[in-house]
Amino acid sequence: MPADPAHRRASRARTRHHRPMDVTLHLAQDPDADELLGRSPLAALVGMLLDQQVPMEWAFKGPRTIADRLGATDLDAHDIAARDPEAFAALLSEKPAVHRYPGSMAKRVQQLCQYLVEHYDGDASRVWEGVGTGSELLERLQELPGSASRRPRSSSPSSASSSGSHRRAGGRPQAPTASPSPTAPSPTSPAPSP
């Protein structure tokens, strides 16, 4: 007799071997949150997903807050995907809320985890596993529900600097300062005569 789905999920949770990362990050400006981001591919993806309409530090502290409220040391895509949506939204809404819009972000986090379970057996590190080019990685990231890469704002410092956008304190984008065009008269040069 085949095992019921809940038993299979629990069995997979005991036997899964996610490849942890070993990176030092300082995105959340909180040592515990940054430690989780540096070792957990799923936490990093959830942080990128939450990095919408809130300061970057708040967004990247979210995965640690979610793990703490779940009573876990890491996030598990299978567990989050299988949770009752209303209960998960309530979890993200507890004070202090994980996001400015905790209900909609809870739905997006669950959709992300469900996608990871369906396409990568819940292992977020497989999103970039075997990727040969930046374009290929971008394509995979854009396939993720609620993908941060679909937004014009990027969490990547290299993307921000190469696109000319800058971040103010709090993670909000700031337009680059305008420089006068070579054809425009400078404020100190005399006006052209008619």
Side-chain angles (χ1 to χ4, degrees):
M1 179 168 127
D4 69 326
H7 176 70
R8 278 186 294 210
R9 253 191 323 274
S11 175
R12 271 196 312 261
R14 287 189 299 273
T15 60
R16 276 193 307 271
H17 298 286
H18 297 291
R19 291 165 233 29
M21 299 187 306
D22 186 19
V23 180
T24 302
L25 298 174
H26 299 284
L27 296 171
Q29 302 301 308
D30 173 276
D32 293 333
D34 285 330
E35 184 274 332
L36 177 61
L37 292 168
R39 70 174 163 81
S40 171
L42 179 56
L45 287 178
V46 169
M48 287 188 281
L49 176 70
L50 294 173
D51 189 19
Q52 301 178 49
Q53 300 178 342
V54 295
M56 182 178 72
E57 297 81 4
W58 184 7
F60 282 96
K61 190 174 180 179
R64 173 82 267 159
T65 303
I66 295 169
D68 288 345
R69 291 179 184 175
L70 292 172
T73 59
D74 197 352
L75 300 179
D76 181 286
H78 290 273
D79 176 49
I80 293 172
R83 288 190 171 265
D84 174 68
E86 289 182 21
F88 190 66
L91 184 90
L92 270 66
S93 299
E94 289 176 18
K95 300 293 180 204
V98 170
H99 193 274
R100 179 178 289 148
Y101 304 107
S104 64
M105 295 315 277
K107 181 178 178 181
R108 289 180 182 182
V109 169
Q110 281 196 296
Q111 289 171 338
L112 170 66
C113 290
Q114 289 162 352
Y115 183 89
L116 292 171
V117 167
E118 289 176 26
H119 295 87
Y120 298 103
D121 193 30
D123 184 354
S125 69
R126 289 181 50 200
V127 170
W128 49 85
E129 187 176 88
V131 171
T133 66
S135 298
E136 194 177 339
L137 176 58
L138 180 61
E139 185 177 312
R140 284 191 186 182
L141 289 172
Q142 287 174 332
E143 292 170 354
L144 298 175
S147 172
S149 61
R150 290 185 187 146
R151 299 188 326 267
R153 173 179 150 196
S154 172
S155 299
S156 164
S158 63
S159 297
S161 63
S162 66
S163 69
S165 70
H166 305 280
R167 287 209 183 243
R168 286 187 243 161
R172 291 176 296 280
Q174 174 180 332
T177 55
S179 58
S181 77
T183 58
S186 84
T188 58
S189 64
S193 52

